Amino acid sequence: MRITMIGSGYVGLVSGACFADFGHDVTCVDLNEQKISALKNGQIPIFEPGLEALVSENAKAGRLTFTTDLAPAVASAEVVFIGVGTPSRRGDGHADLSYVYAAAADIARAVTGFTVVVTKSTVPVGTGDEVERIIRETNPSADVVVVSNPEFLREGAAIEDFKKPDRIVIGLEDERAREVMSDVYRPLYLNQAPLMFTGRRTAELIKYAGNAFLAMKITFINEMADLCERTGANVQDVARGIGLDGRIGSKFLNAGPGYGGSCFPKDTLALVKTGQDYDAPLRLVEATVEVNDRRKRAMGRKIITAMGGNVRGKTIGILGLTFKPNTDDMRDAPSIAIVQALQDAGAKIRAFDPEGIEMAKQVINNIEYADDAYGVANGADGLVLVTEWSAFRGLDLKRLRAAMNGDTFVDLRNVYRQKEAEAAGFSYTSIGRPTGADQSVGTIAAE
Ligand code: NAD
């Protein structure tokens, strides 16, 4: 099939490359000329494991091309995906739909023949109706069906997620799109990915409900971690103890510094706004947003307390800046609020991230960068593990401690154990685990 993808960012580029890998003929369009010329030269503008090879193989095979020229790419396509950004709108937190609507108008002007227009961007319930209205108003003779097909891939595991999804949700109001969308995803039948057809509004809401639920789960265990700290319980054991209950499940129960990233913060906020607009307040989601916002900055206070209450003039080393490992994405990363809180208290920051430094430079100021974890530790008064990259999971703690001036180690991802950190000479603080007690994860008699 001939597919055009409007927007070649984390979602558009991964989806486009995977569709091409399925054998479809794909054109990825983007307004950003730098991005497109880099892609034409075989350079990948983002870090995503496996993406470079996938793009290059499919580009070489002639199934994947890149352009800034939207009109011919849309005119020749049977299916046009909209994968542009939907960031938080400044001021009120609603999803900013201006990129989606601009793409819809551009598509309307260029479209020829029967075409299925698919919104893959995360958009509030009812946006498909508006996209359809814009297309009909801009070009009354356009023969177009508008479909919702939200994307559930995770950065860092995006290709695997796209090719082996838990489900594919397709929301449509016109049956003519059903066969076309089945053909688009036919290669995934082999992987037995369930294709779920719903109404368009339902599909739009499924995406937000999913993200809000996961954000709520993380926030729940984060609050439990606070309670564990005050009561001498161990949050990792609590998480395991509840996660083994099949109704709860063990994923997304790792306590940490609060969720961040390009999706959860903006999507939870947008869902809250939608609930308010429809007079159906989503109080659990409202609380989730509020608790998580407060938590990121509270992590700064936790670090300052661990360092004796005063960090003015001290050097604090930060391990990991991206919102999670295996991505270079810095959007709404907890590190931004943490670094800001420490800088506000007068600390100097030195940091290392395996892939995120270039993106971090665009959003955080006045950081000195090191080449690795040991360079970060060199002469530092304290060390904070913020993102659990695998490069930080097996560090030589004795070597780190020997390089440092102070002895504080704050592990916001519970990667290490108290005993081993203390044996290396650290004063060690983690999340939701009792100090001085055994921090081994609970075992089960039957194991
Ligand atoms: P992104 O910012 O990485 O990419 C968006 C791209 O669209 C940019 O390159 C931009 O230049 C381009 N663009 C904007 N307007 C355009 C236009 N009119 N024509 C052509 N190109 C245009 O964003 P992303 O992370 O890929 O997210 C895209 C959408 O997918 C968002 O709605 C997001 O919520 C959703 N989503 C993201 C993820 C994720 O992990 N990043 C996962 C699931 C869903």
Side-chain angles (χ1 to χ4, degrees):
M1 300 188 82
R2 286 190 310 282
I3 295 176
T4 287
M5 182 67 63
I6 313 288
S8 306
Y10 287 86
V11 161
L13 186 56
V14 170
S15 310
C18 288
F19 282 140
D21 208 45
F22 295 165
H24 297 311
D25 188 358
V26 180
T27 304
C28 285
V29 180
D30 206 287
L31 290 174
N32 185 327
E33 290 182 9
Q34 252 180 320
K35 205 174 252 190
I36 292 299
S37 75
L39 285 164
K40 281 182 172 167
N41 290 326
Q43 292 153 5
I44 307 296
I46 54 170
F47 174 76
E48 180 61 44
L51 189 56
E52 192 168 352
L54 192 74
V55 167
S56 113
E57 278 163 29
N58 285 284
K60 245 183 231 146
R63 290 190 295 265
L64 182 61
T65 52
F66 303 99
T67 183
T68 52
D69 198 358
L70 180 141
V74 166
S76 62
E78 295 157 86
V79 185
V80 178
F81 281 87
I82 300 175
V84 301
T86 49
S88 274
R89 192 163 68 190
R90 269 170 199 259
D92 67 0
H94 263 292
D96 177 352
L97 295 173
S98 56
Y99 303 101
V100 172
Y101 294 156
D106 286 346
I107 292 167
R109 282 186 282 270
V111 77
T112 58
F114 176 64
T115 308
V116 176
V117 174
V118 189
T119 310
K120 197 168 245 325
S121 300
T122 302
V123 294
V125 56
T127 302
D129 304 4
E130 185 62 12
V131 166
E132 188 169 322
R133 193 193 61 77
I134 290 169
I135 294 176
R136 302 231 178 283
E137 223 173 78
T138 312
N139 178 358
S141 63
D143 188 11
V144 159
V145 171
V146 176
V147 169
S148 164
N149 170 218
E151 182 49 56
F152 298 97
L153 63 78
R154 294 162 302 166
E155 288 174 19
I159 295 170
E160 175 82 4
D161 282 352
F162 196 90
K163 289 190 167 180
K164 292 189 183 142
D166 292 335
R167 76 302 204 190
I168 297 155
V169 174
I170 295 171
L172 44 81
E173 300 299 323
D174 183 328
E175 281 302 313
R176 288 183 296 166
R178 185 184 288 259
E179 203 181 312
V180 176
M181 292 307 289
S182 300
D183 286 348
V184 167
Y185 282 106
R186 190 170 310 284
L188 287 184
Y189 292 173
L190 288 175
N191 295 344
Q192 300 190 322
L195 211 59
M196 179 182 167
F197 287 97
T198 72
R200 196 166 58 198
R201 287 180 162 238
T202 305
E204 290 167 337
L205 206 45
I206 286 172
K207 173 65 193 176
Y208 279 97
N211 273 0
F213 195 88
L214 294 172
M216 219 162 59
K217 205 172 173 191
I218 295 172
T219 305
F220 176 83
I221 203 67
N222 283 340
E223 286 201 311
M224 276 299 145
D226 291 347
L227 184 58
C228 286
E229 281 174 19
R230 285 166 191 57
T231 57
N234 183 327
V235 75
Q236 283 180 306
D237 286 351
V238 171
R240 186 147 191 234
I242 63 172
L244 285 166
D245 184 328
R247 295 168 300 178
I248 295 174
S250 59
K251 291 181 181 166
F252 278 75
L253 284 179
N254 294 318
Y259 63 77
S262 61
C263 292
F264 286 1
K266 77 172 177 67
D267 292 349
T268 44
L269 201 56
L271 184 60
V272 163
K273 296 293 167 187
T274 303
Q276 288 168 357
D277 284 354
Y278 284 87
D279 201 16
L282 301 162
R283 297 213 178 81
L284 292 176
V285 189
E286 286 173 12
T288 299
V289 170
E290 194 195 323
V291 170
N292 192 67
D293 277 351
R294 264 192 276 127
R295 184 171 187 81
K296 292 191 219 171
R297 193 146 170 109
M299 289 298 115
R301 291 197 296 277
K302 184 181 175 86
I303 296 160
I304 293 167
T305 304
M307 292 190 63
N310 183 4
V311 294
R312 187 156 300 280
K314 293 197 174 153
T315 298
I316 302 179
I318 304 282
L319 302 178
L321 294 165
T322 52
F323 79 96
K324 67 173 178 182
N326 293 324
T327 181
D328 58 352
D329 202 338
M330 280 295 296
R331 287 177 282 187
D332 269 316
S335 65
I336 301 172
I338 293 170
V339 166
Q340 188 65 61
L342 297 176
Q343 287 177 334
D344 289 349
K348 289 184 237 155
I349 304 296
R350 187 184 307 136
F352 171 69
D353 187 281
E355 296 291 342
I357 292 177
E358 286 316 307
M359 296 282 194
K361 284 179 181 166
Q362 295 170 26
V363 289
I364 313 183
N365 296 319
N366 299 325
I367 292 193
E368 184 193 334
Y369 288 98
D371 293 335
D372 62 12
Y374 302 101
V376 169
N378 203 7
D381 298 291
L383 199 60
V384 185
L385 200 161
V386 177
T387 314
E388 69 280 30
W389 284 89
S390 49
F392 303 145
R393 285 177 173 275
L395 292 169
D396 179 342
L397 295 183
K398 287 202 173 102
R399 187 178 155 204
L400 275 182
R401 174 67 190 91
M404 286 171 62
N405 184 35
D407 66 355
T408 307
F409 183 13
V410 182
D411 179 358
L412 298 181
R413 299 291 181 175
N414 289 348
V415 167
Y416 292 96
R417 291 187 181 171
Q418 176 113 19
K419 276 184 188 162
E420 62 180 328
E422 284 178 353
F426 279 112
S427 163
Y428 177 80
T429 306
S430 60
I431 300 274
R433 298 191 297 182
T435 47
D438 178 19
Q439 292 189 345
S440 61
V441 173
T443 49
I444 294 175
E447 278 186 346

